[in-house]
Each structure stands twice: as C-alpha cells, then as structure tokens.
Short mmCIF file of all heavy atoms in Angstrom, two decimals:
data_model
loop_
_atom_site.label_atom_id
_atom_site.label_comp_id
_atom_site.label_asym_id
_atom_site.label_seq_id
_atom_site.Cartn_x
_atom_site.Cartn_y
_atom_site.Cartn_z
N MET A 18 13.57 -12.52 -20.58
CA MET A 18 14.17 -11.54 -19.66
C MET A 18 14.38 -12.17 -18.33
O MET A 18 13.51 -12.80 -17.77
CB MET A 18 13.31 -10.30 -19.64
CG MET A 18 13.76 -9.38 -18.68
SD MET A 18 12.76 -7.89 -18.50
CE MET A 18 12.89 -7.17 -20.13
N ASP A 19 15.63 -11.91 -17.79
CA ASP A 19 15.76 -12.46 -16.44
C ASP A 19 15.45 -11.34 -15.38
O ASP A 19 15.40 -10.18 -15.73
CB ASP A 19 17.18 -13.00 -16.27
CG ASP A 19 18.18 -11.79 -16.45
OD1 ASP A 19 18.40 -11.20 -15.39
OD2 ASP A 19 18.86 -11.66 -17.48
N TYR A 20 15.33 -11.74 -14.10
CA TYR A 20 14.96 -10.81 -13.13
C TYR A 20 15.85 -9.71 -12.85
O TYR A 20 15.49 -8.60 -12.37
CB TYR A 20 14.62 -11.59 -11.78
CG TYR A 20 15.77 -12.04 -11.01
CD1 TYR A 20 16.41 -11.14 -10.06
CD2 TYR A 20 16.34 -13.27 -11.12
CE1 TYR A 20 17.53 -11.56 -9.32
CE2 TYR A 20 17.40 -13.74 -10.38
CZ TYR A 20 18.00 -12.87 -9.57
OH TYR A 20 19.09 -13.22 -8.77
N THR A 21 17.18 -9.90 -13.16
CA THR A 21 18.13 -8.80 -12.84
C THR A 21 17.85 -7.55 -13.67
O THR A 21 17.77 -6.45 -13.15
CB THR A 21 19.56 -9.24 -13.18
OG1 THR A 21 19.71 -9.61 -14.55
CG2 THR A 21 19.97 -10.37 -12.24
N LYS A 22 17.46 -7.80 -15.02
CA LYS A 22 17.15 -6.59 -15.88
C LYS A 22 15.79 -6.02 -15.38
O LYS A 22 15.58 -4.92 -15.46
CB LYS A 22 16.99 -7.06 -17.26
CG LYS A 22 16.65 -5.98 -18.25
CD LYS A 22 16.86 -6.21 -19.69
CE LYS A 22 16.41 -5.14 -20.63
NZ LYS A 22 16.33 -3.86 -20.20
N ARG A 23 14.81 -6.96 -15.08
CA ARG A 23 13.48 -6.46 -14.72
C ARG A 23 13.52 -5.68 -13.37
O ARG A 23 12.87 -4.56 -13.38
CB ARG A 23 12.64 -7.73 -14.44
CG ARG A 23 11.18 -7.68 -14.38
CD ARG A 23 10.35 -7.07 -15.54
NE ARG A 23 10.32 -7.43 -16.85
CZ ARG A 23 9.47 -8.32 -17.47
NH1 ARG A 23 8.71 -9.05 -16.77
NH2 ARG A 23 9.53 -8.57 -18.83
N ILE A 24 14.35 -5.95 -12.34
CA ILE A 24 14.29 -5.21 -11.12
C ILE A 24 15.06 -3.85 -11.40
O ILE A 24 14.67 -2.90 -10.79
CB ILE A 24 14.93 -6.02 -9.89
CG1 ILE A 24 16.31 -6.40 -10.11
CG2 ILE A 24 14.01 -7.19 -9.60
CD1 ILE A 24 17.04 -6.93 -8.87
N ARG A 25 16.05 -3.89 -12.23
CA ARG A 25 16.69 -2.59 -12.64
C ARG A 25 15.81 -1.70 -13.29
O ARG A 25 15.68 -0.53 -13.04
CB ARG A 25 18.05 -2.88 -13.37
CG ARG A 25 18.71 -1.57 -13.66
CD ARG A 25 19.99 -1.84 -14.47
NE ARG A 25 19.51 -2.15 -15.95
CZ ARG A 25 19.91 -3.32 -16.52
NH1 ARG A 25 20.64 -4.24 -15.94
NH2 ARG A 25 19.44 -3.52 -17.75
N ASP A 26 15.01 -2.23 -14.34
CA ASP A 26 14.08 -1.50 -15.16
C ASP A 26 12.97 -0.87 -14.27
O ASP A 26 12.64 0.19 -14.35
CB ASP A 26 13.50 -2.24 -16.27
CG ASP A 26 14.50 -2.61 -17.41
OD1 ASP A 26 15.59 -1.97 -17.44
OD2 ASP A 26 14.17 -3.51 -18.13
N LEU A 27 12.45 -1.78 -13.34
CA LEU A 27 11.37 -1.29 -12.48
C LEU A 27 11.92 -0.14 -11.58
O LEU A 27 11.19 0.83 -11.47
CB LEU A 27 10.93 -2.37 -11.55
CG LEU A 27 9.92 -3.38 -12.24
CD1 LEU A 27 9.85 -4.60 -11.34
CD2 LEU A 27 8.58 -2.67 -12.38
N ARG A 28 13.17 -0.29 -11.07
CA ARG A 28 13.75 0.78 -10.15
C ARG A 28 13.86 2.13 -11.00
O ARG A 28 13.43 3.14 -10.56
CB ARG A 28 15.04 0.29 -9.64
CG ARG A 28 15.76 1.44 -8.86
CD ARG A 28 16.99 0.91 -8.23
NE ARG A 28 17.97 0.53 -9.20
CZ ARG A 28 18.71 1.39 -9.98
NH1 ARG A 28 18.52 2.67 -9.89
NH2 ARG A 28 19.55 0.84 -10.80
N GLU A 29 14.45 1.97 -12.08
CA GLU A 29 14.70 3.19 -13.02
C GLU A 29 13.41 3.74 -13.49
O GLU A 29 13.21 4.97 -13.45
CB GLU A 29 15.55 2.82 -14.21
CG GLU A 29 16.90 2.49 -13.80
CD GLU A 29 17.81 2.01 -14.93
OE1 GLU A 29 17.33 1.70 -16.03
OE2 GLU A 29 19.07 1.84 -14.70
N ASP A 30 12.32 2.97 -13.80
CA ASP A 30 11.05 3.50 -14.22
C ASP A 30 10.33 4.25 -13.12
O ASP A 30 9.49 5.08 -13.42
CB ASP A 30 10.17 2.36 -14.70
CG ASP A 30 10.57 1.74 -15.97
OD1 ASP A 30 11.40 2.38 -16.69
OD2 ASP A 30 10.03 0.76 -16.36
N HIS A 31 10.70 3.89 -11.85
CA HIS A 31 10.03 4.58 -10.74
C HIS A 31 11.04 5.67 -10.11
O HIS A 31 10.69 6.26 -9.11
CB HIS A 31 9.72 3.60 -9.57
CG HIS A 31 8.44 2.67 -9.92
ND1 HIS A 31 8.63 1.56 -10.80
CD2 HIS A 31 7.26 2.90 -9.53
CE1 HIS A 31 7.38 1.17 -10.90
NE2 HIS A 31 6.57 1.83 -10.15
N ASP A 32 12.10 6.00 -10.91
CA ASP A 32 12.99 7.03 -10.55
C ASP A 32 13.47 6.91 -9.09
O ASP A 32 13.61 7.79 -8.29
CB ASP A 32 12.35 8.41 -10.70
CG ASP A 32 12.02 8.78 -12.10
OD1 ASP A 32 12.86 8.37 -12.94
OD2 ASP A 32 10.95 9.44 -12.33
N LYS A 33 13.95 5.63 -8.75
CA LYS A 33 14.44 5.33 -7.50
C LYS A 33 15.95 4.98 -7.60
O LYS A 33 16.34 4.46 -8.62
CB LYS A 33 13.70 4.15 -6.85
CG LYS A 33 12.24 4.26 -6.59
CD LYS A 33 12.02 5.44 -5.56
CE LYS A 33 10.60 5.69 -5.33
NZ LYS A 33 10.31 6.79 -4.36
N THR A 34 16.68 5.15 -6.53
CA THR A 34 18.01 4.85 -6.50
C THR A 34 18.28 3.42 -5.91
O THR A 34 17.35 2.94 -5.18
CB THR A 34 18.90 5.78 -5.64
OG1 THR A 34 18.42 5.74 -4.35
CG2 THR A 34 18.72 7.22 -6.12
N GLN A 35 19.37 2.86 -6.14
CA GLN A 35 19.62 1.62 -5.44
C GLN A 35 19.60 1.70 -4.00
O GLN A 35 19.19 0.83 -3.33
CB GLN A 35 20.96 1.05 -5.92
CG GLN A 35 21.04 0.57 -7.37
CD GLN A 35 22.41 -0.04 -7.64
OE1 GLN A 35 23.43 0.23 -7.05
NE2 GLN A 35 22.45 -0.88 -8.77
N GLU A 36 20.05 2.83 -3.49
CA GLU A 36 20.09 3.13 -2.04
C GLU A 36 18.58 3.16 -1.41
O GLU A 36 18.41 2.59 -0.38
CB GLU A 36 20.80 4.42 -1.70
CG GLU A 36 20.80 4.85 -0.25
CD GLU A 36 21.71 3.83 0.56
OE1 GLU A 36 22.73 3.31 0.08
OE2 GLU A 36 21.26 3.54 1.68
N GLU A 37 17.77 3.70 -2.20
CA GLU A 37 16.39 3.81 -1.69
C GLU A 37 15.68 2.37 -1.58
O GLU A 37 15.02 2.10 -0.71
CB GLU A 37 15.50 4.68 -2.66
CG GLU A 37 15.88 6.21 -2.50
CD GLU A 37 15.13 7.09 -3.42
OE1 GLU A 37 15.26 6.66 -4.73
OE2 GLU A 37 14.52 8.07 -3.10
N ILE A 38 15.92 1.66 -2.67
CA ILE A 38 15.33 0.26 -2.67
C ILE A 38 16.08 -0.54 -1.67
O ILE A 38 15.37 -1.37 -1.04
CB ILE A 38 15.51 -0.31 -4.14
CG1 ILE A 38 14.77 0.54 -5.20
CG2 ILE A 38 14.90 -1.76 -4.15
CD1 ILE A 38 13.31 0.82 -4.87
N ALA A 39 17.40 -0.44 -1.49
CA ALA A 39 18.04 -1.30 -0.56
C ALA A 39 17.54 -0.95 0.89
O ALA A 39 17.35 -1.81 1.66
CB ALA A 39 19.55 -0.93 -0.59
N ARG A 40 17.27 0.35 1.19
CA ARG A 40 16.81 0.80 2.42
C ARG A 40 15.28 0.10 2.67
O ARG A 40 15.13 -0.41 3.72
CB ARG A 40 16.63 2.29 2.51
CG ARG A 40 16.39 2.75 3.93
CD ARG A 40 16.38 4.36 3.95
NE ARG A 40 17.61 4.92 3.35
CZ ARG A 40 17.44 5.81 2.21
NH1 ARG A 40 16.26 6.14 1.78
NH2 ARG A 40 18.61 6.27 1.65
N TYR A 41 14.54 0.10 1.72
CA TYR A 41 13.15 -0.43 1.78
C TYR A 41 13.31 -1.96 2.05
O TYR A 41 12.53 -2.52 2.93
CB TYR A 41 12.45 -0.29 0.51
CG TYR A 41 11.12 -1.00 0.36
CD1 TYR A 41 9.88 -0.50 1.08
CD2 TYR A 41 11.04 -2.31 -0.31
CE1 TYR A 41 8.81 -1.22 1.09
CE2 TYR A 41 9.82 -2.87 -0.31
CZ TYR A 41 8.69 -2.37 0.32
OH TYR A 41 7.50 -3.15 0.28
N LEU A 42 14.31 -2.65 1.42
CA LEU A 42 14.50 -4.03 1.69
C LEU A 42 15.31 -4.41 3.01
O LEU A 42 15.34 -5.62 3.30
CB LEU A 42 15.32 -4.67 0.45
CG LEU A 42 14.53 -4.61 -0.87
CD1 LEU A 42 15.53 -5.12 -1.99
CD2 LEU A 42 13.23 -5.40 -0.83
N GLY A 43 15.85 -3.38 3.57
CA GLY A 43 16.55 -3.68 4.81
C GLY A 43 17.92 -4.28 4.50
O GLY A 43 18.39 -5.01 5.37
N THR A 44 18.50 -3.88 3.42
CA THR A 44 19.90 -4.40 3.07
C THR A 44 20.72 -3.22 2.61
O THR A 44 20.24 -2.02 2.70
CB THR A 44 19.76 -5.40 1.94
OG1 THR A 44 21.01 -6.04 1.78
CG2 THR A 44 19.33 -4.83 0.61
N SER A 45 21.91 -3.48 2.29
CA SER A 45 22.87 -2.38 1.85
C SER A 45 22.81 -2.14 0.33
O SER A 45 22.24 -2.95 -0.44
CB SER A 45 24.33 -2.72 2.15
OG SER A 45 24.70 -3.91 1.38
N GLN A 46 23.10 -0.97 0.04
CA GLN A 46 23.19 -0.56 -1.50
C GLN A 46 24.10 -1.50 -2.14
O GLN A 46 23.82 -1.98 -3.29
CB GLN A 46 23.62 0.91 -1.61
CG GLN A 46 23.57 1.37 -3.09
CD GLN A 46 24.96 0.95 -3.81
OE1 GLN A 46 26.03 1.08 -3.21
NE2 GLN A 46 24.91 0.73 -5.11
N THR A 47 25.15 -1.90 -1.65
CA THR A 47 26.10 -2.81 -2.22
C THR A 47 25.52 -4.19 -2.52
O THR A 47 25.65 -4.71 -3.62
CB THR A 47 27.37 -2.98 -1.44
OG1 THR A 47 27.99 -1.66 -1.17
CG2 THR A 47 28.45 -3.89 -2.02
N MET A 48 24.79 -4.71 -1.63
CA MET A 48 24.10 -5.96 -1.80
C MET A 48 22.97 -5.80 -2.84
O MET A 48 22.87 -6.77 -3.70
CB MET A 48 23.51 -6.61 -0.46
CG MET A 48 22.87 -7.85 -0.59
SD MET A 48 23.99 -9.12 -1.21
CE MET A 48 25.01 -9.40 0.16
N TYR A 49 22.17 -4.79 -2.77
CA TYR A 49 21.22 -4.64 -3.80
C TYR A 49 21.84 -4.55 -5.17
O TYR A 49 21.34 -5.14 -6.19
CB TYR A 49 20.28 -3.42 -3.55
CG TYR A 49 19.21 -3.29 -4.52
CD1 TYR A 49 18.09 -4.14 -4.47
CD2 TYR A 49 19.38 -2.46 -5.71
CE1 TYR A 49 17.16 -4.15 -5.38
CE2 TYR A 49 18.45 -2.45 -6.66
CZ TYR A 49 17.28 -3.27 -6.54
OH TYR A 49 16.37 -3.22 -7.58
N ALA A 50 22.89 -3.83 -5.30
CA ALA A 50 23.63 -3.73 -6.65
C ALA A 50 24.01 -5.16 -7.10
O ALA A 50 23.95 -5.42 -8.27
CB ALA A 50 24.83 -2.76 -6.53
N ARG A 51 24.46 -5.92 -6.13
CA ARG A 51 24.83 -7.27 -6.53
C ARG A 51 23.60 -8.12 -7.08
O ARG A 51 23.78 -8.98 -7.92
CB ARG A 51 25.34 -7.95 -5.29
CG ARG A 51 26.79 -7.45 -5.01
CD ARG A 51 27.44 -8.07 -3.76
NE ARG A 51 27.75 -9.45 -3.92
CZ ARG A 51 28.89 -9.94 -4.59
NH1 ARG A 51 29.77 -9.06 -5.00
NH2 ARG A 51 29.09 -11.22 -4.68
N TYR A 52 22.39 -7.85 -6.51
CA TYR A 52 21.26 -8.51 -7.02
C TYR A 52 20.99 -8.02 -8.48
O TYR A 52 20.66 -8.88 -9.35
CB TYR A 52 19.94 -8.18 -6.25
CG TYR A 52 19.97 -8.61 -4.85
CD1 TYR A 52 19.26 -7.81 -3.84
CD2 TYR A 52 20.65 -9.66 -4.33
CE1 TYR A 52 19.20 -8.14 -2.51
CE2 TYR A 52 20.74 -10.00 -2.99
CZ TYR A 52 19.97 -9.31 -2.04
OH TYR A 52 19.92 -9.67 -0.77
N GLU A 53 21.13 -6.80 -8.73
CA GLU A 53 20.91 -6.19 -10.07
C GLU A 53 21.88 -6.80 -11.07
O GLU A 53 21.57 -6.87 -12.28
CB GLU A 53 20.84 -4.71 -10.09
CG GLU A 53 19.55 -4.13 -9.56
CD GLU A 53 19.48 -2.59 -9.87
OE1 GLU A 53 20.34 -2.02 -10.50
OE2 GLU A 53 18.42 -2.04 -9.37
N ARG A 54 23.07 -7.00 -10.62
CA ARG A 54 24.15 -7.44 -11.48
C ARG A 54 24.07 -9.04 -11.63
O ARG A 54 24.67 -9.56 -12.59
CB ARG A 54 25.51 -7.10 -11.02
CG ARG A 54 26.02 -5.72 -11.14
CD ARG A 54 27.47 -5.53 -10.97
NE ARG A 54 27.97 -6.27 -9.84
CZ ARG A 54 28.08 -5.84 -8.64
NH1 ARG A 54 27.63 -4.58 -8.27
NH2 ARG A 54 28.66 -6.54 -7.74
N GLY A 55 23.35 -9.66 -10.77
CA GLY A 55 23.25 -11.12 -10.89
C GLY A 55 24.43 -11.80 -10.05
O GLY A 55 24.65 -12.98 -10.15
N ALA A 56 25.24 -11.10 -9.34
CA ALA A 56 26.26 -11.54 -8.56
C ALA A 56 25.84 -12.36 -7.40
O ALA A 56 26.47 -13.29 -6.97
CB ALA A 56 27.25 -10.42 -8.17
N ASN A 57 24.66 -12.00 -6.89
CA ASN A 57 23.95 -12.63 -5.75
C ASN A 57 22.54 -12.94 -6.25
O ASN A 57 22.01 -12.11 -6.78
CB ASN A 57 23.93 -11.89 -4.46
CG ASN A 57 25.29 -11.87 -3.76
OD1 ASN A 57 26.15 -11.23 -4.15
ND2 ASN A 57 25.38 -12.63 -2.64
N GLU A 58 22.00 -14.03 -5.71
CA GLU A 58 20.62 -14.32 -6.01
C GLU A 58 19.71 -13.50 -5.11
O GLU A 58 20.01 -13.34 -3.96
CB GLU A 58 20.29 -15.80 -5.85
CG GLU A 58 20.94 -16.70 -6.91
CD GLU A 58 20.40 -18.15 -6.89
OE1 GLU A 58 19.46 -18.42 -6.15
OE2 GLU A 58 20.99 -18.94 -7.56
N LEU A 59 18.57 -13.05 -5.68
CA LEU A 59 17.62 -12.33 -4.93
C LEU A 59 16.88 -13.26 -3.94
O LEU A 59 16.18 -14.20 -4.36
CB LEU A 59 16.66 -11.67 -5.88
CG LEU A 59 15.60 -10.63 -5.39
CD1 LEU A 59 16.22 -9.42 -4.83
CD2 LEU A 59 14.64 -10.38 -6.45
N PRO A 60 16.93 -13.01 -2.70
CA PRO A 60 16.15 -13.82 -1.74
C PRO A 60 14.71 -13.71 -2.03
O PRO A 60 14.21 -12.61 -2.38
CB PRO A 60 16.57 -13.25 -0.34
CG PRO A 60 17.78 -12.50 -0.54
CD PRO A 60 17.78 -11.94 -1.93
N ILE A 61 13.93 -14.73 -1.65
CA ILE A 61 12.52 -14.84 -1.81
C ILE A 61 11.86 -13.65 -1.12
O ILE A 61 10.89 -13.04 -1.59
CB ILE A 61 12.00 -16.19 -1.48
CG1 ILE A 61 12.38 -17.23 -2.56
CG2 ILE A 61 10.41 -16.14 -1.42
CD1 ILE A 61 12.03 -18.64 -2.16
N ARG A 62 12.31 -13.43 0.15
CA ARG A 62 11.67 -12.31 0.96
C ARG A 62 11.86 -11.02 0.29
O ARG A 62 10.96 -10.08 0.34
CB ARG A 62 12.12 -12.40 2.33
CG ARG A 62 13.70 -11.85 2.36
CD ARG A 62 14.11 -11.88 3.91
NE ARG A 62 15.47 -11.37 4.03
CZ ARG A 62 16.56 -12.04 3.77
NH1 ARG A 62 16.46 -13.33 3.40
NH2 ARG A 62 17.74 -11.45 3.97
N HIS A 63 12.87 -10.76 -0.53
CA HIS A 63 13.09 -9.47 -1.17
C HIS A 63 12.28 -9.49 -2.44
O HIS A 63 11.72 -8.42 -2.79
CB HIS A 63 14.60 -9.25 -1.56
CG HIS A 63 15.37 -8.95 -0.27
ND1 HIS A 63 16.78 -8.91 -0.24
CD2 HIS A 63 14.96 -8.58 0.96
CE1 HIS A 63 17.11 -8.62 0.99
NE2 HIS A 63 16.09 -8.41 1.67
N LEU A 64 12.15 -10.62 -3.12
CA LEU A 64 11.33 -10.77 -4.28
C LEU A 64 9.97 -10.36 -3.90
O LEU A 64 9.24 -9.53 -4.57
CB LEU A 64 11.39 -12.12 -4.88
CG LEU A 64 10.38 -12.51 -5.94
CD1 LEU A 64 10.52 -11.64 -7.18
CD2 LEU A 64 10.35 -13.99 -6.23
N LEU A 65 9.36 -10.88 -2.87
CA LEU A 65 8.01 -10.64 -2.37
C LEU A 65 7.85 -9.12 -2.00
O LEU A 65 6.86 -8.52 -2.37
CB LEU A 65 7.61 -11.51 -1.24
CG LEU A 65 7.54 -13.01 -1.66
CD1 LEU A 65 7.30 -13.88 -0.45
CD2 LEU A 65 6.56 -13.31 -2.73
N ALA A 66 8.87 -8.61 -1.35
CA ALA A 66 8.81 -7.26 -0.97
C ALA A 66 8.82 -6.25 -2.13
O ALA A 66 8.07 -5.25 -2.26
CB ALA A 66 10.00 -6.81 -0.06
N LEU A 67 9.58 -6.67 -3.23
CA LEU A 67 9.59 -5.82 -4.45
C LEU A 67 8.30 -5.95 -5.25
O LEU A 67 7.74 -4.99 -5.73
CB LEU A 67 10.71 -6.25 -5.35
CG LEU A 67 12.07 -5.89 -4.86
CD1 LEU A 67 13.26 -6.48 -5.78
CD2 LEU A 67 12.28 -4.40 -4.74
N CYS A 68 7.57 -7.07 -5.10
CA CYS A 68 6.23 -7.26 -5.74
C CYS A 68 5.33 -6.24 -5.09
O CYS A 68 4.57 -5.58 -5.82
CB CYS A 68 5.77 -8.67 -5.60
SG CYS A 68 6.70 -9.85 -6.66
N VAL A 69 5.32 -6.16 -3.80
CA VAL A 69 4.36 -5.26 -3.11
C VAL A 69 4.82 -3.84 -3.38
O VAL A 69 3.91 -2.91 -3.76
CB VAL A 69 4.49 -5.52 -1.53
CG1 VAL A 69 3.73 -4.44 -0.76
CG2 VAL A 69 3.94 -6.96 -1.21
N TYR A 70 6.06 -3.49 -3.34
CA TYR A 70 6.52 -2.17 -3.52
C TYR A 70 6.15 -1.63 -4.89
O TYR A 70 5.61 -0.52 -5.07
CB TYR A 70 8.09 -2.12 -3.38
CG TYR A 70 8.61 -0.70 -3.45
CD1 TYR A 70 8.68 0.07 -2.26
CD2 TYR A 70 9.18 -0.22 -4.57
CE1 TYR A 70 9.17 1.34 -2.37
CE2 TYR A 70 9.67 1.12 -4.66
CZ TYR A 70 9.70 1.85 -3.49
OH TYR A 70 10.29 3.09 -3.49
N TYR A 71 6.35 -2.43 -5.97
CA TYR A 71 6.06 -1.96 -7.34
C TYR A 71 4.65 -2.39 -7.74
O TYR A 71 4.26 -1.90 -8.90
CB TYR A 71 7.01 -2.62 -8.31
CG TYR A 71 8.43 -2.07 -8.09
CD1 TYR A 71 9.48 -2.97 -7.85
CD2 TYR A 71 8.80 -0.72 -8.24
CE1 TYR A 71 10.84 -2.45 -7.70
CE2 TYR A 71 10.06 -0.30 -8.13
CZ TYR A 71 11.11 -1.20 -7.75
OH TYR A 71 12.42 -0.77 -7.66
N GLY A 72 3.91 -3.16 -7.02
CA GLY A 72 2.57 -3.64 -7.42
C GLY A 72 2.47 -4.46 -8.62
O GLY A 72 1.67 -4.33 -9.43
N VAL A 73 3.41 -5.35 -8.57
CA VAL A 73 3.62 -6.30 -9.73
C VAL A 73 3.60 -7.74 -9.20
O VAL A 73 3.85 -7.96 -8.02
CB VAL A 73 4.84 -6.10 -10.62
CG1 VAL A 73 4.75 -4.71 -11.22
CG2 VAL A 73 6.07 -6.24 -9.85
N SER A 74 3.51 -8.68 -10.19
CA SER A 74 3.47 -10.13 -9.66
C SER A 74 4.92 -10.64 -9.63
O SER A 74 5.82 -10.03 -10.34
CB SER A 74 2.69 -10.94 -10.65
OG SER A 74 3.34 -11.03 -11.95
N SER A 75 5.11 -11.65 -8.98
CA SER A 75 6.43 -12.34 -8.92
C SER A 75 6.78 -12.90 -10.35
O SER A 75 7.92 -12.92 -10.78
CB SER A 75 6.56 -13.45 -7.91
OG SER A 75 5.47 -14.39 -8.05
N ASP A 76 5.76 -13.39 -11.09
CA ASP A 76 5.97 -13.86 -12.41
C ASP A 76 6.52 -12.79 -13.25
O ASP A 76 7.34 -13.10 -14.19
CB ASP A 76 4.64 -14.51 -13.03
CG ASP A 76 4.30 -15.90 -12.54
OD1 ASP A 76 5.21 -16.56 -11.88
OD2 ASP A 76 3.28 -16.38 -12.69
N TYR A 77 6.06 -11.64 -13.12
CA TYR A 77 6.52 -10.48 -13.88
C TYR A 77 8.00 -10.21 -13.60
O TYR A 77 8.86 -10.05 -14.53
CB TYR A 77 5.75 -9.22 -13.60
CG TYR A 77 6.19 -8.03 -14.48
CD1 TYR A 77 5.93 -7.93 -15.81
CD2 TYR A 77 6.88 -7.01 -13.88
CE1 TYR A 77 6.35 -6.85 -16.59
CE2 TYR A 77 7.35 -5.93 -14.54
CZ TYR A 77 7.14 -5.94 -15.89
OH TYR A 77 7.53 -4.77 -16.66
N ILE A 78 8.34 -10.06 -12.34
CA ILE A 78 9.78 -9.84 -12.01
C ILE A 78 10.66 -11.02 -12.46
O ILE A 78 11.77 -10.73 -12.99
CB ILE A 78 9.87 -9.63 -10.50
CG1 ILE A 78 9.29 -8.32 -10.15
CG2 ILE A 78 11.44 -9.69 -10.07
CD1 ILE A 78 9.35 -7.96 -8.63
N LEU A 79 10.17 -12.22 -12.37
CA LEU A 79 10.95 -13.44 -12.83
C LEU A 79 10.99 -13.59 -14.32
O LEU A 79 11.68 -14.47 -14.83
CB LEU A 79 10.40 -14.68 -12.13
CG LEU A 79 10.62 -14.69 -10.52
CD1 LEU A 79 9.92 -15.85 -9.93
CD2 LEU A 79 12.07 -14.58 -10.17
N GLY A 80 10.32 -12.86 -15.05
CA GLY A 80 10.37 -12.82 -16.53
C GLY A 80 9.46 -13.92 -17.06
O GLY A 80 9.53 -14.30 -18.25
N ARG A 81 8.53 -14.56 -16.25
CA ARG A 81 7.68 -15.56 -16.70
C ARG A 81 6.43 -14.99 -17.48
O ARG A 81 5.69 -15.74 -18.16
CB ARG A 81 7.23 -16.39 -15.64
CG ARG A 81 8.34 -17.18 -14.96
CD ARG A 81 7.85 -17.89 -13.63
NE ARG A 81 6.59 -18.63 -13.75
CZ ARG A 81 6.53 -19.91 -13.98
NH1 ARG A 81 7.68 -20.71 -14.14
NH2 ARG A 81 5.42 -20.56 -14.11
N THR A 82 6.16 -13.70 -17.31
CA THR A 82 5.10 -13.05 -18.17
C THR A 82 5.57 -11.64 -18.29
O THR A 82 6.32 -11.11 -17.61
CB THR A 82 3.78 -13.09 -17.33
OG1 THR A 82 2.82 -12.44 -18.13
CG2 THR A 82 3.81 -12.38 -16.03
N ASP A 83 4.91 -11.00 -19.32
CA ASP A 83 5.15 -9.55 -19.63
C ASP A 83 4.03 -8.75 -19.00
O ASP A 83 4.08 -7.47 -19.15
CB ASP A 83 5.32 -9.29 -21.08
CG ASP A 83 6.70 -9.87 -21.61
OD1 ASP A 83 7.64 -9.96 -20.83
OD2 ASP A 83 6.69 -10.31 -22.76
N ASN A 84 2.99 -9.40 -18.39
CA ASN A 84 1.90 -8.68 -17.79
C ASN A 84 2.25 -8.38 -16.29
O ASN A 84 2.45 -9.27 -15.52
CB ASN A 84 0.61 -9.53 -17.79
CG ASN A 84 -0.53 -8.92 -17.06
OD1 ASN A 84 -0.52 -7.79 -16.68
ND2 ASN A 84 -1.65 -9.62 -17.09
N PRO A 85 2.40 -7.18 -15.88
CA PRO A 85 3.00 -6.80 -14.66
C PRO A 85 1.98 -7.02 -13.56
O PRO A 85 2.29 -7.07 -12.37
CB PRO A 85 3.32 -5.35 -14.70
CG PRO A 85 2.58 -4.76 -15.89
CD PRO A 85 2.38 -5.98 -16.82
N LYS A 86 0.64 -7.09 -13.83
CA LYS A 86 -0.29 -7.07 -12.84
C LYS A 86 -0.49 -8.57 -12.28
O LYS A 86 -0.43 -9.51 -13.00
CB LYS A 86 -1.65 -6.62 -13.36
CG LYS A 86 -1.61 -5.14 -13.74
CD LYS A 86 -1.30 -4.30 -12.55
CE LYS A 86 -0.92 -2.88 -13.01
NZ LYS A 86 -0.40 -2.09 -11.95
N THR A 87 -0.84 -8.61 -10.97
CA THR A 87 -1.12 -9.88 -10.41
C THR A 87 -2.50 -10.43 -10.82
O THR A 87 -3.34 -9.66 -11.13
CB THR A 87 -1.05 -9.76 -8.89
OG1 THR A 87 -2.03 -8.80 -8.44
CG2 THR A 87 0.34 -9.33 -8.38
N ASN A 88 -2.54 -11.71 -10.82
CA ASN A 88 -3.86 -12.23 -11.12
C ASN A 88 -4.53 -12.71 -9.92
O ASN A 88 -4.23 -13.63 -9.28
CB ASN A 88 -3.63 -13.58 -12.08
CG ASN A 88 -3.07 -13.24 -13.39
OD1 ASN A 88 -3.29 -12.22 -13.90
ND2 ASN A 88 -2.09 -14.12 -13.91
N LYS A 89 -5.60 -11.87 -9.70
CA LYS A 89 -6.40 -12.16 -8.41
C LYS A 89 -7.80 -12.41 -8.79
O LYS A 89 -8.25 -11.93 -9.68
CB LYS A 89 -6.24 -11.00 -7.44
CG LYS A 89 -4.90 -10.85 -6.84
CD LYS A 89 -4.90 -9.80 -5.74
CE LYS A 89 -3.63 -9.74 -5.04
NZ LYS A 89 -3.49 -8.72 -4.01
#
C-alpha cells in the first residue's frame, strides 16, 4: 500500500474532510488533495504532523507496516 491510499483512509476513518486536514497542516485543500492523489509528494513535515494527528507511525503511513502504532 502506498501512502496516498493510507492518508486518505486515515482521513476518512476519522470522519475528517480534506479541508480540515489541510487547515491542520497549514496548506490549502487543493494541495492536500494533490497529496492524496499522488500528484505532489507529501513533505516530511506534513508526514510527521499526520503521524502526530492520527497517532500512528511514519512506517504505517508509508506502507512499511500494517501496525499503526509507533514502536517506543
């Protein structure tokens, strides 16, 4: 699974709109939609912010594991 599907699934599972997530990230809804479509790469600062927001690891968002919890 690639990160575009994972960030869309996380957003939908949390009943959030693209506008809400974009506002949290400090970007536009249009740019966030481009991340979900894969038209633009997700910046690392946004990846880290989404990890905090959803309480998941970067490996989970990047599709390197199916375990959403961070290993601490």
